[in-house]
Amino acid sequence: MAGIRVRKRKRMREKEIKDLKGRLEDLFGVKVFTEKNVVDFAEGSYFDFVFVDNEVLGMIYEGKPFLTVRGLLKYKPESYAVTVDMGAVPYVVNGADVMGPGIVDADPRIEEGNMVWIRDVRNRAPLAVGIAMRDSSSMISREKGKAIRILHTVSDRLWKLDE
């Protein structure tokens, strides 16, 4: 991810916030922001951003909403998680795609093309967000090759945008 460009930031209306909140809660099964929070939408270079009380807690990629790593840390969902072994952590944090042999566990709901988040096996802390390139059963079988294409990590410019 070369540079982060935030364009056309605007305040979302209560109806839009309610719709986005509902979509995220249906996806993750946890409570997220409310209509009372200050929620802004902005266009970005690779995906769009959702600012909640001036923090980038959400993203919209190809029309699908998802939480950023900061959003995952704040709301602590369990859905759509992929767990990797500790050997894969330094590579994932540096933005490398996740390979099949590094995957220890995956949410059974994951299908090819879904947005997923990656966590480490020891701390179970969010490391990255990406796109599944295969379904969960194929991930768990640890087949060789790419399993997840990374979009956002804890060390990229989007993460540093809130610092």
Side-chain angles (χ1 to χ4, degrees):
M1 187 179 304
I4 295 285
R5 285 189 60 185
V6 178
R7 300 183 305 269
K8 299 181 183 177
R9 183 170 170 170
K10 68 177 180 99
R11 186 77 21 103
M12 292 178 76
R13 294 189 311 251
E14 195 170 318
K15 183 179 177 182
E16 295 170 320
I17 295 169
K18 189 174 183 178
D19 178 55
L20 179 62
K21 173 186 178 320
R23 290 173 67 190
L24 286 169
E25 287 179 355
D26 288 347
L27 185 66
F28 291 109
V30 295
K31 295 285 182 198
V32 294
F33 53 86
T34 68
E35 294 88 3
K36 304 290 184 236
N37 291 102
V38 176
V39 183
D40 293 343
F41 172 84
E43 293 177 5
S45 307
Y46 302 97
F47 40 81
D48 297 329
F49 307 106
V50 177
F51 290 83
V52 180
D53 297 329
N54 249 359
E55 284 185 283
V56 184
L57 299 183
M59 59 195 282
I60 299 175
Y61 181 75
E62 295 182 352
K64 300 176 202 168
F66 208 77
L67 295 173
T68 62
V69 175
R70 286 194 194 278
L72 293 164
L73 284 165
K74 183 170 184 160
Y75 301 121
K76 299 176 181 22
E78 289 293 319
S79 302
Y80 293 93
V82 176
T83 309
V84 296
D85 61 32
M86 294 308 289
V89 170
Y91 299 101
V92 172
V93 169
N94 285 326
D97 291 336
V98 179
M99 306 306 255
I103 296 174
V104 176
D105 192 21
D107 186 324
R109 290 174 281 202
I110 296 172
E111 296 176 5
E112 185 177 341
N114 286 150
M115 290 184 72
V116 297
W117 61 281
I118 296 96
R119 63 183 173 191
D120 66 273
V121 70
R122 186 181 307 144
N123 304 309
R124 301 182 74 75
L127 302 172
V129 174
I131 303 291
M133 298 176 78
R134 49 175 97 157
D135 64 15
S136 62
S137 59
S138 176
M139 287 183 195
I140 295 170
S141 69
R142 303 181 92 164
E143 294 174 17
K144 289 184 178 183
K146 287 184 184 180
I148 302 168
R149 183 171 53 91
I150 297 296
L151 294 175
H152 158 55
T153 70
V154 293
S155 64
D156 67 11
R157 292 175 191 246
L158 176 56
W159 173 263
K160 293 175 182 166
L161 191 65
D162 279 333
E163 290 181 344

mmCIF file with all atom_site columns, all heavy atoms in Angstrom, residues 24 27 64 83 93 133 139:
data_model
loop_
_atom_site.group_PDB
_atom_site.id
_atom_site.type_symbol
_atom_site.label_atom_id
_atom_site.label_alt_id
_atom_site.label_comp_id
_atom_site.label_asym_id
_atom_site.label_entity_id
_atom_site.label_seq_id
_atom_site.pdbx_PDB_ins_code
_atom_site.Cartn_x
_atom_site.Cartn_y
_atom_site.Cartn_z
_atom_site.occupancy
_atom_site.B_iso_or_equiv
_atom_site.pdbx_formal_charge
_atom_site.auth_seq_id
_atom_site.auth_comp_id
_atom_site.auth_asym_id
_atom_site.auth_atom_id
_atom_site.pdbx_PDB_model_num
ATOM 1  N N   . LEU A 1 24  ? -22.532 -4.393  9.801  1.00 0.00 ? 24  LEU A N   1
ATOM 2  C CA  . LEU A 1 24  ? -21.352 -4.844  10.566 1.00 0.00 ? 24  LEU A CA  1
ATOM 3  C C   . LEU A 1 24  ? -21.753 -5.764  11.717 1.00 0.00 ? 24  LEU A C   1
ATOM 4  O O   . LEU A 1 24  ? -21.089 -6.772  11.972 1.00 0.00 ? 24  LEU A O   1
ATOM 5  C CB  . LEU A 1 24  ? -20.564 -3.638  11.094 1.00 0.00 ? 24  LEU A CB  1
ATOM 6  C CG  . LEU A 1 24  ? -19.763 -2.876  10.051 1.00 0.00 ? 24  LEU A CG  1
ATOM 7  C CD1 . LEU A 1 24  ? -19.242 -1.566  10.637 1.00 0.00 ? 24  LEU A CD1 1
ATOM 8  C CD2 . LEU A 1 24  ? -18.622 -3.720  9.519  1.00 0.00 ? 24  LEU A CD2 1
ATOM 9  N N   . LEU A 1 27  ? -22.613 -9.159  10.383 1.00 0.00 ? 27  LEU A N   1
ATOM 10 C CA  . LEU A 1 27  ? -21.407 -9.855  9.954  1.00 0.00 ? 27  LEU A CA  1
ATOM 11 C C   . LEU A 1 27  ? -20.617 -10.405 11.134 1.00 0.00 ? 27  LEU A C   1
ATOM 12 O O   . LEU A 1 27  ? -20.200 -11.558 11.132 1.00 0.00 ? 27  LEU A O   1
ATOM 13 C CB  . LEU A 1 27  ? -20.536 -8.896  9.133  1.00 0.00 ? 27  LEU A CB  1
ATOM 14 C CG  . LEU A 1 27  ? -19.286 -9.458  8.492  1.00 0.00 ? 27  LEU A CG  1
ATOM 15 C CD1 . LEU A 1 27  ? -19.653 -10.473 7.415  1.00 0.00 ? 27  LEU A CD1 1
ATOM 16 C CD2 . LEU A 1 27  ? -18.458 -8.339  7.892  1.00 0.00 ? 27  LEU A CD2 1
ATOM 17 N N   . LYS A 1 64  ? -18.324 -3.857  0.343  1.00 0.00 ? 64  LYS A N   1
ATOM 18 C CA  . LYS A 1 64  ? -18.510 -4.676  1.541  1.00 0.00 ? 64  LYS A CA  1
ATOM 19 C C   . LYS A 1 64  ? -17.859 -3.992  2.745  1.00 0.00 ? 64  LYS A C   1
ATOM 20 O O   . LYS A 1 64  ? -16.674 -3.707  2.732  1.00 0.00 ? 64  LYS A O   1
ATOM 21 C CB  . LYS A 1 64  ? -17.870 -6.047  1.362  1.00 0.00 ? 64  LYS A CB  1
ATOM 22 C CG  . LYS A 1 64  ? -18.421 -6.849  0.224  1.00 0.00 ? 64  LYS A CG  1
ATOM 23 C CD  . LYS A 1 64  ? -17.659 -8.145  0.089  1.00 0.00 ? 64  LYS A CD  1
ATOM 24 C CE  . LYS A 1 64  ? -17.782 -8.712  -1.297 1.00 0.00 ? 64  LYS A CE  1
ATOM 25 N NZ  . LYS A 1 64  ? -16.839 -9.791  -1.543 1.00 0.00 ? 64  LYS A NZ  1
ATOM 26 N N   . THR A 1 83  ? -6.625  -17.932 12.146 1.00 0.00 ? 83  THR A N   1
ATOM 27 C CA  . THR A 1 83  ? -5.520  -17.967 13.105 1.00 0.00 ? 83  THR A CA  1
ATOM 28 C C   . THR A 1 83  ? -4.280  -18.532 12.431 1.00 0.00 ? 83  THR A C   1
ATOM 29 O O   . THR A 1 83  ? -4.342  -19.575 11.783 1.00 0.00 ? 83  THR A O   1
ATOM 30 C CB  . THR A 1 83  ? -5.903  -18.838 14.325 1.00 0.00 ? 83  THR A CB  1
ATOM 31 O OG1 . THR A 1 83  ? -7.166  -18.394 14.826 1.00 0.00 ? 83  THR A OG1 1
ATOM 32 C CG2 . THR A 1 83  ? -4.860  -18.741 15.418 1.00 0.00 ? 83  THR A CG2 1
ATOM 33 N N   . VAL A 1 93  ? 2.602   -9.195  9.459  1.00 0.00 ? 93  VAL A N   1
ATOM 34 C CA  . VAL A 1 93  ? 2.710   -7.825  9.948  1.00 0.00 ? 93  VAL A CA  1
ATOM 35 C C   . VAL A 1 93  ? 3.398   -6.932  8.919  1.00 0.00 ? 93  VAL A C   1
ATOM 36 O O   . VAL A 1 93  ? 3.081   -5.753  8.796  1.00 0.00 ? 93  VAL A O   1
ATOM 37 C CB  . VAL A 1 93  ? 3.445   -7.794  11.309 1.00 0.00 ? 93  VAL A CB  1
ATOM 38 C CG1 . VAL A 1 93  ? 3.818   -6.385  11.713 1.00 0.00 ? 93  VAL A CG1 1
ATOM 39 C CG2 . VAL A 1 93  ? 2.585   -8.442  12.378 1.00 0.00 ? 93  VAL A CG2 1
ATOM 40 N N   . MET A 1 133 ? -8.707  -16.341 -0.365 1.00 0.00 ? 133 MET A N   1
ATOM 41 C CA  . MET A 1 133 ? -8.521  -16.840 -1.722 1.00 0.00 ? 133 MET A CA  1
ATOM 42 C C   . MET A 1 133 ? -8.979  -18.292 -1.837 1.00 0.00 ? 133 MET A C   1
ATOM 43 O O   . MET A 1 133 ? -8.873  -18.897 -2.904 1.00 0.00 ? 133 MET A O   1
ATOM 44 C CB  . MET A 1 133 ? -7.058  -16.693 -2.130 1.00 0.00 ? 133 MET A CB  1
ATOM 45 C CG  . MET A 1 133 ? -6.626  -15.224 -2.143 1.00 0.00 ? 133 MET A CG  1
ATOM 46 S SD  . MET A 1 133 ? -4.901  -14.988 -2.514 1.00 0.00 ? 133 MET A SD  1
ATOM 47 C CE  . MET A 1 133 ? -4.932  -15.210 -4.287 1.00 0.00 ? 133 MET A CE  1
ATOM 48 N N   . MET A 1 139 ? -8.291  -23.925 3.849  1.00 0.00 ? 139 MET A N   1
ATOM 49 C CA  . MET A 1 139 ? -7.292  -23.251 4.687  1.00 0.00 ? 139 MET A CA  1
ATOM 50 C C   . MET A 1 139 ? -6.805  -24.162 5.806  1.00 0.00 ? 139 MET A C   1
ATOM 51 O O   . MET A 1 139 ? -5.603  -24.264 6.066  1.00 0.00 ? 139 MET A O   1
ATOM 52 C CB  . MET A 1 139 ? -7.875  -21.975 5.309  1.00 0.00 ? 139 MET A CB  1
ATOM 53 C CG  . MET A 1 139 ? -8.048  -20.844 4.356  1.00 0.00 ? 139 MET A CG  1
ATOM 54 S SD  . MET A 1 139 ? -8.664  -19.405 5.259  1.00 0.00 ? 139 MET A SD  1
ATOM 55 C CE  . MET A 1 139 ? -9.200  -18.388 3.916  1.00 0.00 ? 139 MET A CE  1
#
